[in-house]
Amino acid sequence: MSILTPKAVPPRTSQVDEAAMREVLSSFCTGVAVITATQPDGRPAGMAVQSFSSVSLDPPLVCFCPAQTSSTWPKIRAAGRFAVNVLSADQQQLCRQFAVTGGDKFAGVDWQPGLNGAPLLDGALATIECDLAGTFPGGDHVIALGRVTAPASADRVRDTDPLLYFRRTYGRLRSSSSRSASIASARSRSEA
C-alpha cells in the first residue's frame, strides 16, 4: 500500500474543461463550515469552506482544503490550531460573511474562545477544535490536516438542520423532528 507523501502535483496529462468540472462537482451536495483561529496577535480569523471532511477516528483527524490564493489561510496556518464550526441552516448569512475576501468577518458575530483559543461561533450546529497536523499540496488548493483535540461538547451541539450547498445555492434537509425519527428507526433496525 502506498502512502501519499508531500510531492509536487504531476503535470496535467489530459485536458479537462474547468467549467464542465465545476458543473459536475457542484452536483455533490456538501455541508458548510467556518474554520476559525486566533492569530498570534490575538485577532480572530475565519473562512467559509465546503471542503471539510472526517479523515480518521483513530487517531481523530479531519481535513479541509483552502485555496492557495486565500488571504485567510496563512493566518490560520500561522495560528497552528483552529476550530471547525459546522453551520446550521439558519446561518446562511453568516456563511456569506465569512466567504468574502477582506474586511472584518467577525463584525456583529457572537463567539466564545474554545479550549485552544479558536473562536467557537454561537449558533453553530457543532464545533470541533483541532491542532494543525500537516499540510499537503492539492493543486490550486492546500490539504490541511487537523488532529482533533476537542470535539463538540453536548451543550454545543444543536438539534437542527445543517446548512447545505448544492449547485451553487444553499439548501436544507427536511425538519429535524422527521430526521430524528428516521435516525431512531434506522438505529432500531440496525440493532435487530
Side-chain angles (χ1 to χ4, degrees):
M1 179 168 146
S2 75
I3 297 175
L4 176 66
T5 56
K7 294 181 183 175
V9 173
R12 186 182 287 189
T13 57
S14 67
Q15 294 298 328
V16 175
D17 182 300
E18 285 186 31
M21 185 168 169
R22 275 193 193 103
E23 185 64 31
V24 168
L25 293 177
S26 75
S27 296
F28 182 67
C29 183
T30 65
V32 185
V34 171
I35 307 298
T36 57
T38 299
Q39 300 176 69
D41 66 6
R43 290 181 299 147
M47 63 191 295
V49 300
Q50 64 184 91
S51 60
F52 167 73
S53 181
S54 169
V55 174
S56 169
L57 291 175
D58 186 15
L61 300 171
V62 297
C63 73
F64 69 98
C65 302
Q68 291 273 9
T69 57
S70 169
S71 59
T72 303
W73 164 239
K75 298 171 185 175
I76 294 171
R77 184 181 57 225
R81 55 182 53 107
F82 59 90
V84 179
N85 297 270
V86 179
L87 298 187
S88 61
D90 60 358
Q91 293 182 303
Q92 192 175 125
Q93 183 53 43
L94 184 69
C95 179
R96 285 191 172 101
Q97 187 168 332
F98 278 91
V100 299
T101 299
D104 181 3
K105 296 180 185 184
F106 284 84
V109 175
D110 293 326
W111 60 275
Q112 312 301 318
L115 297 173
N116 69 4
L120 305 181
L121 304 180
D122 289 357
L125 188 64
T127 57
I128 304 166
E129 297 180 59
C130 304
D131 287 340
L132 185 60
T135 61
F136 304 91
D140 58 5
H141 282 65
V142 174
I143 301 166
L145 189 66
R147 184 178 185 97
V148 176
T149 56
S153 60
D155 64 328
R156 289 207 53 93
V157 176
R158 290 179 60 198
D159 184 22
T160 189
D161 297 330
L163 181 60
L164 301 177
Y165 195 70
F166 177 70
R167 293 190 176 157
R168 297 180 195 91
T169 190
Y170 296 102
R172 68 186 307 153
L173 292 174
R174 58 195 160 133
S175 74
S176 293
S177 59
S178 297
R179 188 175 71 251
S180 296
S182 296
I183 291 169
S185 175
R187 284 184 181 148
S188 67
R189 284 193 309 271
S190 69
E191 293 170 0

